[in-house]
Each structure stands twice: as C-alpha cells, then as structure tokens.
Amino acid sequence: MCGIVGCVTAGDEAPRILISSLKRLEYRGYDSAGLAILGDGEIETMREVGKLANLENSLGDKSIGGSTGLGHTRWATHGRPTEVNAHPHRDGSGRIVVVHNGIIENYRELRAELREKGHVFASDTDSEVIAHLVQSNFDGDLTDAVAQSIRRLKGAYAIGVMHADRPELIVGARKDCPLVVGLGEGANFLASDVTAVMDQTNRVVYLGDEEIATIRRETLEIRKLSGEAVDYTPTTISWSLAQAERGGYPHFMLKEIHEQPTVVSDTLLGRLDEDKGEIRLEELAIDDEILKGIKRVNIIACGTSWHAGHVAKFYIEQLARIPVDVDYASELRYRDPVLEEGGLVIAISQSGETADTIAAMRMAAKAGCKVVGVCNVIGSTIVREADGTIMTHAGPEIGVASTKAFVSQLVALLLFSLKLGRVRGVLSEGDIRKHCQRLRQLPHAVEAALQSEAHVREVALKYVSAQDFLFIGRGVNYPIALEGALKLKEISYIHAEGYPAGELKHGPIALLDEKLPVVAICTESTIYDKIVTNVEEARVRDAKMIVIASAGDDAIQEVADDVIYVPRMDELLSPIVNVVPLQLLSYFVARERGCDVDQPRNLAKSVTVE
Ligand code: F6R
C-alpha cells in the first residue's frame, strides 16, 4: 500500500501542495517518499528514504517551484526502501515520470521485453516498468500512451504520469487500487484518497477500474480503456478532515477491519499460479531442495502473531506433513531449546521489530537453522536478518490492536504451507490448483463476513456489562478463540480467556453460570459435532452462548442465545473468515464502554523492548 498524489495548478505552488497532500497519506506507507515537479520544460525529482519529514527537510533547502507535479509515499513491496527504489520513477529519457501504488504481477516479463529493446532500468521495483512502457508507447499523446501501456499490465495499480514536454497535464489510471480526482478552482488534483485533496477541495470524482483521467488545470476528461468517454458526476464530501483520515470510520481499528478483503487480495496477488500448479513466493529465497529436507519447523512469535503461528502449525502439519512447535519468543529465548542445524524457524511479526522475536530468531540462526520472517514491514530488522521472507502486504496498521495484519499473516502462512506441501510431494499440481481456486474466492468471503456488522453490534450491546468472557474453538479455530479473547481484553479491558472447547470439562466448566458469555466458534468442520456437544455442555450450565456458525446452519439456533453467521468455508480457510465477527464484537463492546479503541492503555504498537 502506497500513497500517490498529483496536482495541476497555476504558479509555483505544486511542491507545497503535494507535501501537504502526502502528509495525509502517510498512513498508507512511510518508508520513503518522493516528488516530481514540472517547470520550464524540465522535471525535477527528489526522493528520500524514511518518513515524509525527510523529504520536506531536503525540499526546504532547495528552491524548487512549478505548477504541475506528482508525489508518492511508499510502503515497499518489491525492492528495499532505498532512494533508487523510491518513486517517482523515470523512463530512460528522463522525460516521463510515474508514481504507482499496487503490484504489477508481470513486471519481470515486461522488463525483459523492454530490456531487449534497449531500455535500461535503474531500480528493483515493479513500478519502473510502467515509465518505460509509457515511453515506448508515446507518440505525442500522453493519454493514449498510458492507455496502451495499462493494457499490458497484470495486477493492481493506481498511477499518475507526467511528461516534461506536456506542461500542465497529468494522467491518472487505476485498477483494483483507489484513485480520486479532486476538482478545484483553476486547479485539479489526483490522489489515492480524498483526505489528500481535502485541503484544496471537497468535490471529487472517484475513478472506476480501467478508467483513464486526463487532468488539466481547468478540465478533467475520463475515458475507458476502449476509448469511450465517461460521463462523470462529482461527489461532494461532507466529512470533517479527522473523519476523512479514518476513511469516514470513527476509529482506525474499524477502518482496518473493513480493509481486510483488500488486504487478502493484496497478500495473494502474484502468488497463485494455477497454470503451473504452483505457489510463487519470490522473497522466500530458500532453495526447494532445502525445503524438501526439513524435518521440523519451529515457529516463534508474540501476541496476535503467536496465534497466527498456531494456525500455521495446523496448516503445515496437514498440508506438508512436517511436525511443528510453536513458541512464545519470550519463552524460547530463555530456554535451552533443541534447535538443530538444518531446521526451519518461522519468525512471525507484523512490525518486524519485536525485541523478543528478534532475540529468539538470532538464537535460531546461531544454532544453524534457516529463518523465514513473515512480516509486514519491508526494511525491518526481521526482514533484514532472516534468510528469506514472506511479506504480508497489509499496509501500515495504525490501530494498536492487530486486525488486518493478523489476517494477512494467516494468508501468507497458508501460502507457505501449500508451497512446502508441493515441494515435498505431499500435494500435487492438481491439489495446488484447487487450493488456488478456493483462495481466489477468499476476499469475497471476508467481505461477506463483514455484512454481519450491524448484527454483531446488537449482540455486543447485550453483553457490554459482562465482567468476563470465555472464547472456545477447536482444531484450526482454537487459535481464533485465543485471538478473539485477546482482542476483547486488550481494547475493552474485560477479562477474557480463550480455550480449546474440548478442555472445558477439565476445569473452566466450573466458571460457567448465567453471568458468563461464552463465544463458541462452531462453523462447519470435520469436528463440528464435537464442538456442538461442547456448546450444549456449556448451555446446560446456564452460560450465555454466542455462536459463530456457517450460513444455513439453522439447527444451531436451538443451542445458542445469539448466532452470528459467516459464509460457509473450506475448513482451512475458515479462521480467516471467522476472526472477522470476533474483531467486530470486541470493537463494539470496547466502543460502547467508552474505551480508547485505537490506543488502549498500557499498550504499544511495536514492542521494541524486552
Ligand atoms: C495484539 C497485538 C500484539 C502483537 C505483538 C507482536 O493486537 O497487536 O499482541 O501481535 O505485540 O507484535 P509483532 O507482530 O509486531 O511482532
């Protein structure tokens, strides 16, 4: 997830406007930032690694002015966060610049083709191919060149393009990534979302997929890829700026819960190869031969990431038939664990900076293990030090309670498990194809799970005064029960525990009475009957049963006080969908109790100390 902005104004104001717009998009990425300003027939670019403030400081030292420009704030996906990989990117002639958000799946093929024609590439990014493609298609009309170029792109993109010989013009286009045009007085703007243009205007046009916008100071023309003109109607935004920064949601946490369908698609993007029956994980950088020989996997993580590790244990054992241990990093580092040379260690961390996870990972590396980091932040310590990585493409998570990052970890870990299964011959090409087909439906299923929001809120309001909660699940959904309990306790300050449902009768059943709400994950699975029995056991002891069930399971209503339905899913994918109502439940309980949902007391987003 990156942020892009553009403007066509009068005078020399473009740098100031673009910096102020980029500040509103820092939530989309902040590992590097850049600007391209067009004045006097030349484009000047500036790029800086790190937060936007670095770019702003270096801009302060220079006297750059111009009426037209593009800007970018990056969250690296392909290529490390370096100046060379920062946007804007230029073509070989330096006359065309491009800013891009998204992932171009076929950039390697395009780059090879363009190299054959003599193009020389400066960066490791997928985005740079767009600048070279536009140059190779440019015949005097920038909009035509962009249209021809995007026909060649596979993947997702929102782009802004500028040509040094075309003053007061920017061209924007998108597919599966957001892009809006802001309509001002004698000036027009381009941005990844409305927050970036709200200082300038509240009239915006949302571009549709594969639409191309030709933006001049006084005019906006939009056309489809076919060339047909689009008749657009501007929308007037009535949100306050603070609301707009959260996409109109009252809290970042709710916004991030709603981003999950997109996050799932982004984490899958470019990784499913049905033609070859393969999972493509390029940054993994560990030979298939090594993966084939692995005898044991150790997973290390903390908190929510540790829950993702428990789901992964289920995935790896079932799909690749390798035994898996899951450890809290803070425990493993002070034990004398058996970490053998040639073993595989998976370090899971959203931030990539959790002190305990880093220490445990270093211990494993010293013992001769191969370390794979599953991480959301590309330049982070874990990514830098691991032998290979699987990036989770969730974009920056602002809410302290992890939601979308967790879901992206589950998707990444499932992809890795499928790859391990294939490499080791447990799964055939045909099996992988079937899994790919199911995975392609996953973003829609997560979207469908979000439809329960209004009902989850009603349920939350019923139990808002409870003192304790119990969450139960079995099999691959047992870690989801743990995650539901953690989410509730950290943001609502209600005591909550997660338990494997089969363990109830070994102790916690003593707690059950009419004051204790029990949330049971009871979706379709091979052990569905077992968990229904556990639900009945709790219900006859007067506990209030809130049941997460598969759509169409009418019978479950007989044993539940409240049922929250989710789409029917393949069991392996069910955790990714089942966690959604649990996130919403904790969100609404905490909100109703007046808690600071995005910044719960005593918690930090990145735990960089022991
Ligand atoms: C809970 C939460 C924490 C983190 C934990 C590890 O919502 O966010 O439990 O999961 O602090 O952080 P990372 O994943 O950055 O290593």
Side-chain angles (χ1 to χ4, degrees):
M1 195 153 89
C2 302
I4 70 175
V5 294
C7 69
V8 193
T9 66
D12 270 346
E13 286 297 280
R16 186 193 57 76
I17 292 172
L18 293 174
I19 290 281
S20 108
S21 301
L22 283 175
K23 281 186 182 160
R24 307 221 180 279
L25 292 186
E26 262 200 305
Y27 77 89
R28 298 182 67 86
Y30 41 72
D31 58 41
S32 56
L35 285 184
I37 304 294
L38 171 54
D40 293 337
E42 290 300 326
I43 294 176
E44 187 144 4
T45 52
M46 290 187 57
R47 304 181 297 185
E48 290 291 340
V49 173
K51 293 208 167 199
L52 185 60
N54 298 351
L55 181 70
E56 199 176 5
N57 288 342
S58 20
L59 186 67
D61 304 338
K62 301 195 173 80
S63 57
I64 298 180
S67 63
T68 308
L70 295 170
H72 190 270
T73 175
R74 180 166 186 246
W75 184 258
T77 54
H78 291 81
R80 300 173 77 84
T82 57
E83 198 213 316
V84 168
N85 289 335
H87 298 220
H89 290 290
R90 289 181 187 255
D91 73 311
S93 73
R95 309 294 289 164
I96 293 171
V97 294
V98 168
V99 286
H100 167 230
N101 165 38
I103 296 173
I104 305 303
E105 292 187 49
N106 59 338
Y107 80 101
R108 283 194 180 74
E109 293 90 307
L110 292 171
R111 194 167 56 186
E113 182 186 314
L114 288 158
R115 271 189 179 138
E116 288 222 332
K117 292 186 190 157
H119 289 253
V120 177
F121 287 80
S123 76
D124 306 323
T125 64
D126 53 337
S127 312
E128 191 187 349
V129 292
I130 305 171
H132 289 264
L133 257 187
V134 173
Q135 192 270 325
S136 70
N137 287 315
F138 185 70
D139 198 10
D141 185 322
L142 189 58
T143 308
D144 279 349
V146 170
Q148 285 184 51
S149 303
I150 62 176
R151 280 201 185 98
R152 300 289 319 279
L153 304 180
K154 286 194 187 142
Y157 57 81
I159 55 172
V161 187
M162 207 164 68
H163 194 304
D165 301 335
R166 296 290 176 273
E168 299 200 351
L169 168 70
I170 53 179
V171 177
R174 61 153 279 195
K175 181 171 167 283
D176 296 333
C177 286
L179 198 59
V180 296
V181 178
L183 301 176
E185 295 295 325
N188 287 321
F189 310 90
L190 181 72
S192 293
D193 82 30
V194 290
T195 53
V197 300
M198 278 182 68
D199 272 351
Q200 310 296 332
T201 179
N202 63 353
R203 287 176 65 234
V204 301
V205 179
Y206 291 91
L207 286 188
D209 262 353
E210 298 193 323
E211 288 182 353
I212 304 153
T214 306
I215 306 163
R216 296 191 167 83
R217 212 154 67 73
E218 304 279 359
T219 61
L220 165 67
E221 285 161 34
I222 303 180
R223 71 184 219 195
K224 294 189 179 160
L225 210 45
S226 59
E228 190 190 331
V230 174
D231 203 6
Y232 59 84
T233 314
T235 306
T236 302
I237 302 292
S238 54
W239 300 334
S240 70
L241 205 51
Q243 264 179 319
E245 276 171 351
R246 295 186 296 264
Y249 292 99
H251 296 98
F252 279 108
M253 182 180 175
L254 190 59
K255 174 172 181 268
E256 286 161 0
I257 290 172
H258 277 268
E259 279 169 8
Q260 292 180 124
T262 310
V263 164
V264 172
S265 329
D266 287 352
T267 306
L268 292 173
L269 205 66
R271 288 169 162 175
L272 306 178
D273 189 340
E274 277 105 325
D275 293 343
K276 295 200 182 126
E278 250 178 46
I279 301 293
R280 290 182 1 194
L281 294 172
E282 272 130 17
E283 327 94 321
L284 184 58
I286 296 182
D287 272 1
D288 286 0
E289 276 312 305
I290 295 181
L291 295 179
K292 241 189 217 172
I294 288 163
K295 303 258 176 320
R296 172 156 226 102
V297 173
N298 284 83
I299 296 180
I300 48 176
C302 302
T304 286
S305 298
W306 183 80
H307 298 154
H310 273 279
V311 178
K313 173 181 167 74
F314 196 95
Y315 287 165
I316 296 172
E317 291 186 346
Q318 175 161 331
L319 297 168
R321 307 302 299 151
I322 313 174
V324 180
D325 286 326
V326 187
D327 268 289
Y328 283 121
S330 55
E331 284 296 313
L332 181 118
R333 66 181 289 198
Y334 292 114
R335 274 209 327 262
D336 186 11
V338 183
L339 294 167
E340 286 166 3
E341 180 139 12
L344 180 75
V345 168
I346 306 177
I348 309 172
S349 172
Q350 181 280 128
S351 61
E353 299 296 350
T354 300
D356 284 320
T357 311
I358 294 170
M361 170 181 130
R362 286 179 181 156
M363 227 170 113
K366 213 164 152 200
C369 300
K370 284 275 174 211
V371 179
V372 172
V374 174
C375 201
N376 197 38
V377 182
I378 203 166
S380 62
T381 308
I382 290 181
V383 172
R384 288 199 313 274
E385 294 191 13
D387 295 294
T389 47
I390 307 171
M391 297 308 299
T392 53
H393 303 319
E397 193 174 58
I398 313 286
V400 165
S402 187
T403 52
K404 62 174 184 170
F406 174 68
V407 157
S408 70
Q409 287 169 344
L410 298 184
V411 175
L413 288 160
L414 178 53
L415 290 172
F416 182 51
S417 311
L418 289 168
K419 175 163 179 88
L420 276 180
R422 178 70 199 109
V423 167
R424 297 166 69 87
V426 180
L427 301 175
S428 67
E429 278 178 24
D431 293 330
I432 297 288
R433 253 177 229 121
K434 274 189 215 136
H435 282 286
C436 289
Q437 280 156 11
R438 288 183 200 135
L439 277 164
R440 289 210 186 272
Q441 298 312 312
L442 190 56
H444 308 292
V446 175
E447 187 74 63
L450 285 165
Q451 303 305 315
S452 65
E453 179 170 341
H455 177 54
V456 176
R457 183 166 180 270
E458 281 170 21
V459 175
L461 297 188
K462 274 173 73 174
Y463 299 102
V464 84
S465 318
Q467 307 252 324
D468 305 277
F469 265 82
L470 193 60
F471 287 72
I472 55 171
R474 292 189 82 140
V476 73
N477 280 298
Y478 155 54
I480 300 304
L482 298 179
E483 175 60 8
L486 177 64
K487 224 65 325 166
L488 185 71
K489 74 182 111 180
E490 69 181 327
I491 64 167
S492 73
Y493 318 140
I494 297 176
H495 167 245
E497 274 191 73
Y499 246 90
E503 278 289 304
L504 271 188
K505 58 176 106 36
H506 300 287
I509 204 161
L511 296 170
L512 301 182
D513 64 18
E514 71 292 344
K515 293 201 282 304
L516 185 73
V518 177
V519 181
I521 305 167
C522 206
T523 47
E524 265 177 12
S525 75
T526 45
I527 44 167
Y528 172 79
D529 294 339
K530 305 275 173 210
I531 180 137
V532 172
T533 306
N534 300 139
V535 169
E536 280 168 345
E537 281 162 9
R539 174 134 164 110
V540 295
R541 281 149 184 105
D542 296 333
K544 295 280 175 258
M545 298 307 302
I546 304 165
V547 176
I548 312 296
S550 301
D553 183 355
D554 297 333
I556 200 75
Q557 296 187 7
E558 285 177 24
V559 292
D561 292 277
D562 294 282
V563 183
I564 299 169
Y565 285 110
V566 289
R568 296 177 67 176
M569 297 303 295
D570 175 81
E571 189 172 354
L572 283 182
L573 298 182
S574 65
I576 301 167
V577 167
N578 292 347
V579 75
V580 173
L582 302 189
Q583 296 166 339
L584 289 168
L585 184 71
S586 52
Y587 170 76
F588 285 117
V589 170
R591 189 168 106 177
E592 197 56 27
R593 289 166 72 103
C595 300
D596 185 348
V597 174
D598 284 334
Q599 293 183 329
R601 68 185 182 205
N602 308 336
L603 291 177
K605 185 71 193 158
S606 182
V607 187
T608 54
V609 289
E610 217 187 302

